[in-house]
Amino acid sequence: RREVYIFSKLNEKSLVLAKSVLAHYIGQQGGGVHRKKASDANAASQDHGISQDHGIGQEAASGKKKKGLPLIIFTDVVVESKKPVDKLYQSACDMKCICFKQDILSVRFDLHSKKAKMNFVLIGDDRIENNGQALRLLGSPYASKRTDALKPLHDKPGAKEKPDYSKRNPAITTLYVFDATKESELLLDGKQGSMTIRRINRVRQFVHYFLWDYLWDKETGAHTLFDTAVEVDGKKHITVLLVGLGKTGIALLKSLAWFCQMDGYELKIHALDTNPRVAKRLGFECPELLAEQHNHNFDPDEAVYSISVHPGIDAYSEDFAELVSSLAADATFAFVSLGDDEVNVETAVNLRILFKRAGHKQVDKPVIYSVVHDSERVSKLKNLANYSDDDYGIHLIGDNLDLFSYQMVFDPRLENLAAQAHIQWTLSEEENRNLAHVAEKAARREKLTEEEKQVGERAQVLRAGYWGKEYYRHSSIARVIHEKVVNKYGPSSSDDIAKLESRRWNAYMRSEGFVYNDERNNLAKQHHLLIPYSKKPREEQAKDYRGFKREPESTD
């Protein structure tokens, strides 16, 4: 009953991800594996050939693997016998993976144990094919209507009886689709079936894990953004310089607006980009986030932030140097994402030079992160220094070992916490107490009453809703990510936490494009509760605290 990972393609991305999966399991057995050593998971098999039947190499077919490791499978693998063995296929063989010539729709994976956890990973370069395969695996009636539009998905000649996953348990069967487009969301959001669907938005997930995991110091327990804040007139200032407002830069800007909501802290963001119309683009995507009545606000009854967008700034210009120099003295954090690895590194180096000229004494202050996608370049550029061995103190992040890692794609910790938060927020306080009681009885294997069973069933419905709708997932994940810093740097009283959560929620909803309206309209992205905390009804104020792990203060 080993866990199974089934990849729709054998490509560089899927191979890196498969190596990370194996490294994770080996690390669990042997005490931990660093993410940069995922390639150490390669085994010693030297098998090269694909069999005429289903393409299973001899070593892989034998099943002689270390107990506890998952089964890794690649489908749609084509190797021409008269040509040298493909490097990707060679690596898959070395890892003792199973390779099928048939595509992911044709192989009878449904014959595998129904008690084993199965993960289907649609990771091809053709997003239309990925979405079509997802619909077919889910058995959606809509898929059959689009057969002509999804010609690449037709069964290959000689395909046998089609797999049937209708009896699989969705709790242990997950479908991962690498496509973050709106079309994919419309096609797959809310689809119910024998599989739990997870669309992988690499940019959003990277930003989430960057804030939730990467920026936490594992030794000191400090978070970089809050720990490096500078105190001025009794307030701690987080001043962020974002260079580049492509997908990653915009996603980080939006997330910082809600993530940095904290009593005693003030957030200032200066965002630079060469696009002269980037501010208008942001204004279109999230109208109220940069609106005058909300931006540059420092009233703690509402979201506190100041976002200044500087359009039309070339990173290789005097305008850039002058602007950075004017901001350098106050900057506490910088992030570079201009869409080109070489440009990103050069710009990060130039930032350090300008920061030094502005009087920053410490080599690692302000903190600088630069996106570099090429893993080989990251390894070569580690510990960047000049001709006299002065360290530039630049952190490189965002390569394939980051984006296609077990932690980024499969790690259940954040998702499980978010699902729990969604359930706790939706249930009333009494229902939450009853649910906790039911969980305790279930752990002791005690018989549940009919009423207690209904409480458990209600929680299961809510959990299914969490997985079925991305709106619930994304909003709950954001709350959990923020809750982690609240527990470290935030207030202790339930009233103050509720007020802070209201600020965070307001900033989050505006970053998602919602605007205020007297009546809620989800289709128009309008919400009646996008108002200051003091103006919200008491029952809504109570909800802002619900679900936090801390025990409320006694009101006796």
Side-chain angles (χ1 to χ4, degrees), residues 304-315:
V304 174
Y305 61 82
S306 174
I307 301 175
S308 300
V309 180
H310 306 273
I313 302 293
D314 189 334

Side-chain angles (χ1 to χ4, degrees), residues 463-499:
R463 179 175 287 272
Y466 165 84
W467 286 109
K469 293 293 183 180
E470 290 196 5
Y471 170 84
Y472 299 132
R473 283 185 58 230
H474 292 159
S475 59
S476 299
I477 286 172
R479 176 167 180 164
V480 168
I481 291 173
H482 187 250
E483 182 180 334
K484 189 174 179 180
V485 289
V486 172
N487 287 334
K488 173 70 176 180
Y489 299 97
S492 56
S493 75
S494 58
D495 287 342
D496 288 340
I497 290 176
K499 187 174 182 178

Side-chain angles (χ1 to χ4, degrees), residues 435-466:
L435 183 60
H437 178 66
V438 169
E440 291 174 0
K441 288 189 67 174
R444 296 192 298 265
R445 297 182 180 276
E446 296 179 11
K447 187 176 181 180
L448 301 177
T449 65
E450 287 301 318
E451 185 177 351
E452 289 170 338
K453 288 180 181 179
Q454 290 177 2
V455 173
E457 290 171 358
R458 165 108 161 109
Q460 289 178 352
V461 171
L462 291 174
R463 179 175 287 272
Y466 165 84

Side-chain angles (χ1 to χ4, degrees), residues 326-342:
S326 68
L327 302 172
D330 297 326
T332 61
F333 187 90
F335 189 90
V336 183
S337 178
L338 289 164
D340 180 277
D341 287 354
E342 184 177 351

Side-chain angles (χ1 to χ4, degrees), residues 182-197:
K182 176 58 68 174
E183 180 184 9
S184 176
E185 179 182 349
L186 294 172
L187 284 172
L188 301 176
D189 199 26
K191 288 288 186 296
Q192 301 294 325
S194 57
M195 299 183 186
T196 297
I197 306 173

Side-chain angles (χ1 to χ4, degrees), residues 21-60:
V21 169
L22 287 178
H24 168 76
Y25 282 85
I26 292 172
Q28 284 190 325
Q29 294 178 348
V33 174
H34 192 275
R35 78 165 187 96
K36 292 296 184 183
K37 293 185 178 180
S39 58
D40 294 344
N42 289 6
S45 170
Q46 296 299 317
D47 177 64
H48 297 322
I50 292 185
S51 72
Q52 294 298 315
D53 189 15
H54 279 304
I56 307 177
Q58 282 184 326
E59 286 290 326

Side-chain angles (χ1 to χ4, degrees), residues 11-217:
N11 52 34
E12 290 186 6
K13 297 177 291 187
S14 63
L15 189 63
V16 168
L17 186 50
K19 288 179 179 179
S20 180
V21 169
L22 287 178
H24 168 76
Y25 282 85
I26 292 172
Q28 284 190 325
Q29 294 178 348
V33 174
H34 192 275
R35 78 165 187 96
K36 292 296 184 183
K37 293 185 178 180
S39 58
D40 294 344
N42 289 6
S45 170
Q46 296 299 317
D47 177 64
H48 297 322
I50 292 185
S51 72
Q52 294 298 315
D53 189 15
H54 279 304
I56 307 177
Q58 282 184 326
E59 286 290 326
S62 67
K64 295 180 180 179
K65 296 187 178 183
K66 188 173 181 178
K67 187 177 180 180
L69 293 182
L71 189 62
I72 306 292
I73 299 173
F74 295 100
T75 62
D76 209 2
V77 179
V78 178
V79 176
E80 299 182 26
S81 58
K82 295 183 180 180
K83 292 185 178 181
V85 176
D86 180 79
K87 289 183 180 180
L88 295 176
Y89 175 61
Q90 178 64 65
S91 296
C93 291
D94 291 345
M95 292 163 58
K96 296 186 173 70
C97 299
I98 295 177
C99 294
F100 286 88
K101 288 188 291 186
Q102 284 88 343
D103 64 27
I104 198 168
L105 300 174
S106 304
V107 184
R108 295 295 306 277
F109 296 120
D110 59 323
L111 300 179
H112 193 68
S113 172
K114 291 181 175 58
K115 295 183 179 180
K117 187 174 181 180
M118 297 185 74
N119 304 279
F120 293 85
V121 186
L122 304 180
I123 195 170
D125 294 326
D126 187 338
R127 62 180 183 81
I128 296 179
E129 182 179 26
N130 291 343
N131 289 323
Q133 288 178 332
L135 292 170
R136 296 281 287 275
L137 286 170
L138 291 168
S140 168
Y142 184 56
S144 61
K145 297 177 182 179
R146 296 192 70 203
T147 302
D148 292 337
L150 301 171
K151 287 185 178 179
L153 308 181
H154 286 171
D155 293 333
K156 294 186 176 182
K160 305 258 176 107
E161 186 178 351
K162 296 179 181 179
D164 179 10
Y165 301 106
S166 60
K167 296 182 180 180
R168 290 285 308 180
N169 180 358
I172 58 172
T173 312
T174 308
L175 176 61
Y176 298 85
V177 186
F178 278 76
D179 187 358
T181 62
K182 176 58 68 174
E183 180 184 9
S184 176
E185 179 182 349
L186 294 172
L187 284 172
L188 301 176
D189 199 26
K191 288 288 186 296
Q192 301 294 325
S194 57
M195 299 183 186
T196 297
I197 306 173
R198 278 194 59 191
R199 290 193 321 120
I200 304 299
N201 184 329
R202 287 180 293 163
V203 172
R204 185 188 282 264
Q205 288 195 207
F206 166 72
V207 170
H208 281 171
Y209 272 85
F210 182 62
L211 298 174
W212 187 69
D213 187 59
Y214 279 80
L215 293 182
W216 283 96
D217 188 309

